[in-house]
Amino acid sequence: MNMRSLRLRAAASLVLVAACAAASRADYKQAVAYYNQKNYEKAIQELKADLDQNPDWEFGHRLAGLCYLALKNNALAVSSLSRAVQLKSTTASTYLGLAQAYFAMQRYDAAAQALGQGEAFLKTPDERYRFHHLRASAHFRQGKYAEAANDYAAAIRVQGNDWTDFSQLGIAYYQEGKYDDAIQALQRAASMKPGQAVVAEYMSKAYLKQGAAALSVKQFGQALDLFKKSRDLNPNDGYVHYNVAEACIFLKNYAEAEKSLNQAAALLPKVPEVYLRLGLASEKLKKFDQAIAAYKKADELAPAAAIKEAIKRATEAKKQ
């Protein structure tokens, strides 16, 4: 697919109080002030001396790790936040930050594992949203679409105002073959932010799959309606036009079939089946010159005895 970049929320500013650090560490308050001012390098410098003297200072490793994360130094963020985890951190930001660093390094398994370790410490709606959104994104990148769908749905239940969550949920459902659910989620995404190509693309694909299913059980009218919805969303897909024509042929609507097949041929000039069906539609309309030309094009692309027989049949019909 045409996959877009996932938007990950930055680690939220910590609510840092004096109880988080031992009273003897006088410099931590300045480090916190620098962190909240987004002066992350100075915050790290303030923490270094105390961390050197007190390597088991969980709060110091946590704050340093979140500073490194903000600076996009993901390797050092992982190092510091992993140390905070080893020191039995009970703060959600430790695990959310560690997961985000792993995600940025494309270590999606590690990101999901870090989130699992920190799930028990989630307290606020924002933390729960970020947890589910980030784990869903990690699962999605690994092709674990059922797990991704579950977490996107959970994120939406906490905070359902981000169109990208609905979009990714819809794509995950599509990948699972849950086309009704996919369309519902994608329609919601489209209503929140119209004009997104990825939303239209996957909604079109879902309608196309539904249309193919209807066609396979000879529900030709339903199939045509679904194929037309797919076409309206993605008019540059030649296979959609081909399927519209296929349903029209079964419904004996050869004029519309011919029109759709001409559009398909413009988009799929090397696909012999398009010309074969175009030849049939034109033949049914008694447009024998067009039928013969289409059959000959199909035979050029994929010579076959059946196509030569169709050329002969149309040629003889023209003479009558």
Side-chain angles (χ1 to χ4, degrees), residues 4-198:
R4 59 159 174 73
S5 299
L6 292 172
R7 183 178 60 81
L8 298 177
R9 291 188 170 188
S13 295
L14 298 176
V15 178
L16 300 172
V17 295
C20 293
S24 59
R25 301 186 181 108
D27 291 341
Y28 89 92
K29 290 183 180 179
Q30 185 59 56
V32 170
Y34 283 138
Y35 177 87
N36 288 328
Q37 294 165 16
K38 300 185 180 181
N39 197 336
Y40 304 116
E41 291 179 350
K42 284 190 175 181
I44 292 167
Q45 290 301 318
E46 289 290 333
L47 292 167
K48 276 187 175 179
D50 271 336
L51 282 170
D52 288 343
Q53 294 176 14
N54 303 281
D56 293 337
W57 185 26
E58 181 273 331
F59 171 82
H61 288 291
R62 184 198 335 151
L63 183 57
L66 294 174
C67 288
Y68 285 125
L69 182 67
L71 292 168
K72 299 184 179 180
N73 190 331
N74 296 304
L76 287 180
V78 165
S79 178
S80 293
L81 292 168
S82 293
R83 180 60 181 151
V85 170
Q86 291 170 358
L87 294 168
K88 302 189 184 304
S89 177
T90 59
T91 303
S93 60
T94 302
Y95 302 90
L96 292 166
L98 179 58
Q100 189 171 337
Y102 277 134
F103 190 97
M105 298 168 74
Q106 300 183 10
R107 295 178 61 183
Y108 305 121
D109 274 336
Q113 182 179 1
L115 289 166
Q117 289 177 288
E119 186 171 8
F121 308 121
L122 302 173
K123 294 179 180 178
T124 68
D126 182 69
E127 288 171 348
R128 288 193 294 274
Y129 171 80
R130 290 171 54 215
F131 169 86
H132 288 295
H133 176 86
L134 184 51
R135 192 168 69 175
S137 301
H139 287 320
F140 192 99
R141 291 296 182 91
Q142 296 176 88
K144 297 179 179 179
Y145 298 113
E147 294 91 335
N150 287 338
D151 269 313
Y152 278 125
I156 287 166
R157 285 194 294 272
V158 177
Q159 179 178 301
N161 58 6
D162 188 339
W163 76 272
T164 62
D165 288 330
F166 287 98
S167 173
Q168 293 299 98
L169 175 61
I171 295 169
Y173 280 142
Y174 173 85
Q175 297 292 356
E176 283 191 273
K178 296 181 176 179
Y179 304 121
D180 288 339
D181 291 335
I183 289 168
Q184 184 177 354
L186 292 165
Q187 286 176 333
R188 183 67 184 277
S191 71
M192 296 172 76
K193 191 167 184 180
Q196 295 301 307
V198 69

Side-chain angles (χ1 to χ4, degrees), residues 216-289:
S216 71
V217 294
K218 300 183 180 180
Q219 298 292 327
F220 304 126
Q222 182 182 1
L224 180 58
D225 289 342
L226 291 164
F227 289 142
K228 284 183 175 181
K229 287 180 179 180
S230 178
R231 180 193 62 192
D232 292 344
L233 287 161
N234 192 6
N236 294 320
D237 187 336
Y239 289 103
V240 175
H241 292 287
Y242 176 85
N243 279 283
V244 168
E246 193 73 0
C248 287
I249 287 172
F250 281 112
L251 290 167
K252 298 184 180 181
N253 186 345
Y254 300 115
E256 188 171 353
E258 183 185 47
K259 180 180 177 181
S260 291
L261 286 163
N262 278 318
Q263 291 172 311
L267 295 164
L268 303 169
K270 301 297 184 182
V271 178
E273 290 81 6
V274 172
Y275 296 98
L276 186 59
R277 301 306 269 173
L278 177 58
L280 175 63
S282 296
E283 187 179 356
K284 292 292 185 180
L285 292 167
K286 300 187 184 304
K287 296 179 178 181
F288 298 116
D289 287 335

